[in-house]
Amino acid sequence: MISDICRKIDSKDITFESIENDFITVYGGNSKFKLNVESFDSYPKIEFGSVNKKFKVNSCTLKTIVEKTAYACSEKEIQLNLTGINLFSKNGKLHALATDRFKFASKEFDIDFDEEFNIVIPKKYFSNILQCL
């Protein structure tokens, strides 16, 4: 959005001005835009430390995960968490879940990994991976 605004301003200089932590005014030349903003403090603090824990999944298992669950993913990007496959690990099992609120798919696999994680990977990424297999 910011890049679109900057393209519309026909001035060599563009000024950003914060107003009471709730708005930012962007202006230059005869153009002026007022944008709502979120405070930096309203976002959760996430530590992105280096993680050296890995596990391997057989390519046939990965293909099965996608074939058995991806059909249930939502095609609409209104709710992004429904457009992917939820992968989580618990007690040495890899669980794959997908839903669009009408369809539900679930598959479970044994893995050699004792750590727990819970992520959602968009279906389109899996489609790209499968093309390489």
Side-chain angles (χ1 to χ4, degrees):
M1 186 174 185
I2 295 288
S3 61
D4 289 340
I5 289 172
C6 291
R7 275 192 289 259
K8 290 178 183 178
I9 296 175
D10 61 351
S11 173
K12 190 174 186 178
D13 296 319
I14 298 173
T15 304
F16 292 84
E17 186 176 290
S18 175
I19 304 170
E20 299 176 15
N21 294 330
D22 293 330
F23 300 98
I24 287 182
T25 303
V26 182
Y27 57 91
N30 294 328
S31 302
K32 185 175 182 179
F33 299 88
K34 188 173 179 180
L35 306 172
N36 292 327
V37 294
E38 289 277 335
S39 168
F40 178 77
D41 295 329
S42 67
Y43 289 94
K45 292 181 173 82
I46 300 173
E47 294 295 324
F48 291 105
S50 62
V51 178
N52 294 322
K53 298 178 181 172
K54 300 176 185 177
F55 68 94
K56 292 183 180 183
V57 175
N58 181 298
S59 61
C60 291
T61 302
L62 182 61
K63 188 173 182 177
T64 302
I65 287 172
V66 177
E67 288 173 346
K68 300 292 183 184
T69 58
Y71 73 92
C73 293
S74 177
E75 297 296 327
K76 299 176 183 172
E77 294 193 7
I78 295 169
Q79 286 189 300
L80 288 176
N81 59 333
L82 298 180
T83 62
I85 299 172
N86 176 223
L87 295 176
F88 67 94
S89 168
K90 192 169 187 174
N91 300 327
K93 301 265 188 202
L94 177 64
H95 302 268
L97 308 171
T99 186
D100 66 356
R101 289 196 252 168
F102 300 105
K103 298 180 294 244
F104 178 78
S106 173
K107 200 73 179 149
E108 182 180 292
F109 300 91
D110 291 322
I111 58 172
D112 187 22
F113 190 70
D114 293 329
E115 300 291 322
E116 292 186 7
F117 65 86
N118 190 349
I119 57 174
V120 176
I121 300 176
K123 179 175 92 171
K124 63 183 175 183
Y125 295 151
F126 280 113
S127 299
N128 293 340
I129 291 169
L130 288 181
Q131 290 175 357
C132 297
L133 295 178

